[in-house]
Amino acid sequence: MVVMTPGASEAQIDAVRERLETTGVHVVVMPGELTTAIGAIGDPEGVAELGLEGMHGVDRVVPISRPYKLASSELSHHEPTVLDIRGRTVGGGATFCLIAGPCTVESAEQTLEVARTVEAGGASMLRGGAFKPRTSPFAFKGLGLEALEILAAAREQTGLPVVTELLDPSHADAIAAHADVVQIGARNMQNYALLEVAGRLGKPTLLKRGLSSSLDELLQAADYVLKEGNEAVILCERGIRTFETATRFTLDLGAVPWLKLHSHLPVVVDPSHAAGDRRLVEPLSRAAAAVGADGVMVEVHPDPEHALCDGPQALFASDFARYAADLAAHAQLLGKVLA
Ligand code: PEP
Ligand code: MN
């Protein structure tokens, strides 16, 4: 929609109409009492590139259609996307998925112990970082390939599908060979080359919301993966930066019903990275279930006090079964079973 200035002349209105028509859109001129609005119905992309804001008599250009396409519930699909990951269902409203595991794979013993504990407690999938994005370049960056092999062994022992982060395109083949779900971390949500690589791996992608990214930007990032022909994308709300510093990030729970409304993709919540404090993880997990999330991803460690990364937010493995049972009861209130 192009809004003309109050003093715009007929010639200026005609010039805008003619320029719009060069893109093949259907143009409707709507004279008002003070100003004239010109509606362009058709491909918004072509219109955005016309540079109409610079034309004489144009006040502003207001996009009516949404910037994301493939992730939108309006345009591509009408049915919610439901994923089957080694027999675990994500999305669709009948199930709740619980992805649990250590922040980082530290050793075979630590990871296998957590894997066995979370599997026994009812988890749907195992998470674990092999290549870690760290704020400081001097912090532990993960065991890399060795960690991928440990995760594969944990899957072998427990049957749990493995979720792990793709940090660098050069790791893509190794990640594809070991992971069931490829995680794109918050810091890489707008790493468009990496998103395209993830899209081409042919594995479900768990896309975390950037620390300071809007939901529009998250859905456009999802479009990068979807346009590679990969329809299996899970969105993850993990907290954003706000003026509030009491929690590590501010968990945007409103994002969940908003995303469910505007996208067909499943949405999970990571309360661990949002809270940064294990005491908040259980109430935030319940809240995620209550606002309609398709699942939760949480960090669990056998000995969080000695964890190499994110210990303060990790649930004690010994508490996991009780936590999972409580969460399952909350998911059940919405008619969902842990799966
Ligand atoms: C993670 O899940 O391991 C992680 C690093 O999270 P985020 O990208 O959300 O910070
Ligand atoms: Mn972590």
Side-chain angles (χ1 to χ4, degrees):
M1 178 82 70
V2 184
V3 182
M4 304 300 290
T5 57
S9 67
E10 282 303 316
Q12 289 169 343
I13 293 168
D14 279 347
V16 171
R17 184 175 46 71
E18 277 162 26
R19 191 173 295 185
L20 281 168
E21 279 168 354
T22 61
T23 66
V25 294
H26 178 60
V27 181
V28 189
V29 178
M30 295 168 279
E33 222 156 89
L34 268 181
T35 57
T36 293
I38 306 173
I41 303 158
D43 176 25
E45 207 95 312
V47 172
E49 284 158 17
L50 287 177
L52 296 168
E53 290 91 342
M55 290 184 73
H56 292 298
V58 171
D59 181 23
R60 59 195 191 277
V61 180
V62 188
I64 305 292
S65 60
R66 302 213 155 88
Y68 42 89
K69 300 183 189 347
L70 304 173
S72 169
S73 49
E74 270 177 2
L75 297 179
S76 49
H77 297 237
H78 294 286
E79 294 300 313
T81 291
V82 184
L83 306 181
D84 180 333
I85 300 165
R86 287 184 182 262
R88 318 288 165 144
T89 306
V90 186
T95 58
F96 192 83
C97 90
L98 176 51
I99 305 168
C103 174
T104 308
V105 173
E106 297 170 5
S107 67
E109 297 69 42
Q110 166 246 17
T111 300
L112 293 173
E113 184 181 341
V114 177
R116 282 192 291 266
T117 305
V118 300
E119 193 273 329
S124 324
M125 295 190 224
L126 176 68
R127 65 148 287 145
F131 299 93
K132 295 300 298 179
R134 299 307 301 273
T135 302
S136 163
F138 308 111
F140 176 59
K141 289 186 190 156
L143 295 178
L145 266 182
E146 188 191 343
L148 292 178
E149 275 154 23
I150 294 171
L151 287 167
R155 172 177 55 222
E156 186 88 354
Q157 284 197 17
T158 60
L160 292 178
V162 163
V163 183
T164 197
E165 178 166 348
L166 173 65
L167 190 60
D168 185 311
S170 71
H171 307 146
D173 291 342
I175 295 281
H178 294 87
D180 299 295
V181 177
V182 176
Q183 178 172 326
I184 298 292
R187 287 154 192 81
N188 273 319
M189 190 206 86
Q190 287 182 309
N191 182 339
Y192 299 121
L194 190 68
L195 295 175
E196 287 175 340
V197 168
R200 288 195 288 268
L201 288 183
K203 298 264 176 175
T205 302
L206 187 147
L207 177 61
K208 297 190 109 183
R209 180 182 183 181
L211 319 184
S212 302
S213 294
S214 68
L215 296 175
D216 267 17
E217 289 164 340
L218 171 62
L219 292 181
Q220 290 179 84
D223 271 359
Y224 268 91
V225 179
L226 294 165
K227 85 170 168 52
E228 296 302 317
N230 184 346
E231 303 209 331
V233 175
I234 303 166
L235 305 169
C236 181
E237 162 59 34
R238 48 78 71 210
I240 50 173
R241 283 220 205 279
T242 66
F243 60 84
E244 181 56 77
T245 55
T247 49
R248 188 176 177 191
F249 294 93
T250 299
L251 185 63
D252 181 6
L253 283 168
V256 178
W258 190 94
L259 288 167
K260 300 296 291 177
L261 206 57
H262 294 282
S263 175
H264 54 86
L265 298 171
V267 180
V268 301
V269 167
D270 172 350
S272 304
H273 289 89
D277 178 338
R278 80 173 61 81
R279 296 169 298 181
L280 308 186
V281 168
E282 183 160 342
L284 291 177
S285 303
R286 292 175 180 162
V291 291
D294 295 294
V296 149
M297 175 153 93
V298 283
E299 293 188 339
V300 183
H301 197 283
D303 181 12
E305 277 147 26
H306 295 100
L308 296 181
C309 184
D310 288 348
Q313 68 199 31
L315 299 174
F316 281 89
S318 54
D319 281 345
F320 183 78
R322 196 204 47 72
Y323 160 85
D326 177 85
L327 184 55
H330 282 78
Q332 208 167 32
L333 293 173
L334 283 94
K336 296 178 184 174
V337 291
L338 276 198

